[in-house]
Amino acid sequence: MKNPGAVAATLVEALPYLQRFSDQTIVIKYGGHAMVEEDLKASFATDITLLKQVGINPVIIHGGGPQIGQLLKKIGKQAEFIDGMRVTDSETMDIVEMVLAGLVNKEIVANINRAGGKAVGLSGKDGGLICARKLKIERNAPELDVPEIIDLGHVGYVHSVHTDILTLLDRDRFIPVIAPVGYHKADGQSYNINADLVAGAIAKKLGAAKLILLTDVSGVLDQDKQLCSSLTPSQTTDMITDGTIAGGMIPKVQCCLDAVAAGVSQAHIIDGRVPHALLLEILTDAGVGTVFSDN
């Protein structure tokens, strides 16, 4: 039997956080090992269900890159990446939408519902949630007088967010689970969008209390490879400048900084490999990752 005193202490520790975040929105980007390993998938679904039960409003945006890659491999289509972004032609976009808005999205919904929650699966196309525009990247080309424009196909960025459908779901106590697929209203084209960016845009639009990115790292590490439990924007900028924060961590960190600058109270990068990472980050003093805030 668990130590009753320790259990009581944990519950007491959670109380101020339950009071602080009651009826507040927390936007969660769900990805990495937490989406793959069965025990982590179950703990995530339980965490989300518990948060909703105690009066916190979670909104989930999920990735699905590995699942897309697996299906493309099965059908014999070679994946191509430029600067870490998937080149997405029309055929690949059909696969992306099928995997993200179908297979992956509905599995997450089913897991939450199995845990006792009330989840509803959406893509950014539902209710006009995510209006997208085609993303073009520029690359310096010494042999040219102007930068080279790289066409990634159906890769987009968030142009605008319309949250009416999320408001309706929240009113009836449903948990939104959103696939990061947007569309261009004028021509109906679908676009694959980075899930971190979608989560950040939705967090800003909803005025969320928190933006949380689940990753496969413990958080931001300093030069001695020790976890930084909290960072201000100026500290973070210095760490990017001196190379402490580098590579694929930069866009995640920038997503957090942008959210905080836009009014989201706190943004987090946490280790999704830790069971019940969400509860530990939201409802305990120590947390399990790095939090970004203005103070």
Side-chain angles (χ1 to χ4, degrees):
M1 178 179 178
K2 294 182 179 179
N3 184 329
V7 173
T10 300
L11 294 173
V12 170
E13 181 181 347
L15 178 59
Y17 299 102
L18 293 171
Q19 293 170 326
R20 177 181 176 185
F21 298 119
S22 177
D23 206 32
Q24 298 292 306
T25 296
I26 293 178
V27 175
I28 301 151
K29 186 280 178 127
Y30 180 38
H33 277 77
M35 284 183 63
V36 177
E37 297 182 10
E38 292 301 323
D39 58 338
L40 295 177
K41 289 193 287 186
S43 74
F44 176 82
T46 300
D47 289 1
I48 293 296
T49 301
L50 190 150
L51 290 174
K52 190 70 174 181
Q53 188 67 40
V54 298
I56 298 170
N57 302 319
V59 175
I60 303 160
I61 295 88
H62 63 82
Q67 294 90 333
I68 294 169
Q70 289 168 8
L71 186 52
L72 287 173
K73 186 175 181 180
K74 281 184 180 179
I75 66 172
K77 189 169 181 64
Q78 183 68 37
E80 181 184 356
F81 292 86
I82 296 176
D83 293 345
M85 291 177 283
R86 186 187 301 276
V87 177
T88 309
D89 59 19
S90 294
E91 183 182 27
T92 302
M93 187 64 223
D94 289 342
I95 298 297
V96 166
E97 192 162 5
M98 180 171 64
V99 172
L100 291 180
L103 179 65
V104 174
N105 187 273
K106 301 315 173 190
E107 181 186 25
I108 298 168
V109 168
N111 288 342
I112 294 171
N113 290 343
R114 190 178 301 116
K118 290 169 53 180
V120 173
L122 305 168
S123 79
K125 297 166 75 172
D126 292 307
L129 176 59
I130 302 169
C131 293
R133 294 292 185 272
K134 184 182 180 70
L135 178 66
K136 296 179 181 179
I137 60 174
E138 295 183 355
R139 178 179 290 172
N140 290 329
E143 68 277 10
L144 301 175
D145 293 331
V146 296
E148 179 185 8
I149 304 299
I150 307 296
D151 188 350
L152 298 169
H154 291 260
V155 176
Y157 66 91
V158 178
H159 178 262
S160 60
V161 176
H162 304 277
T163 56
D164 290 351
I165 191 169
L166 301 183
T167 301
L168 289 173
L169 291 172
D170 178 53
R171 184 189 66 189
D172 291 325
R173 308 297 299 161
F174 285 101
I175 301 166
V177 179
I178 303 165
V181 174
Y183 79 111
H184 191 300
K185 189 173 182 179
D187 59 18
Q189 289 284 349
S190 298
Y191 289 97
N192 182 22
I193 309 174
N194 178 280
D196 291 344
L197 299 182
V198 172
I202 290 177
K204 288 183 279 189
K205 183 69 174 183
L206 291 175
K210 287 181 180 289
L211 167 66
I212 299 178
L213 308 182
L214 268 76
T215 66
D216 287 340
V217 296
S218 56
V220 177
L221 305 182
D222 64 19
Q223 291 184 336
D224 296 322
K225 304 303 179 184
Q226 298 299 307
L227 177 66
C228 299
S229 59
S230 64
L231 288 171
T232 64
S234 61
Q235 289 172 329
T236 307
T237 300
D238 290 344
M239 292 175 72
I240 294 173
T241 301
D242 68 20
T244 304
I245 298 173
M249 184 60 77
I250 291 178
K252 292 184 180 297
V253 165
Q254 193 60 57
C255 177
C256 291
L257 294 182
D258 290 346
V260 170
V264 176
S265 298
Q266 293 181 324
H268 306 251
I269 295 175
I270 71 171
D271 193 345
R273 299 168 300 179
V274 176
H276 302 294
L278 281 176
L279 298 186
L280 292 170
E281 183 61 44
I282 297 169
L283 301 179
T284 70
D285 296 334
V288 291
T290 301
V291 58
F292 302 82
S293 64
D294 279 330
N295 46 51

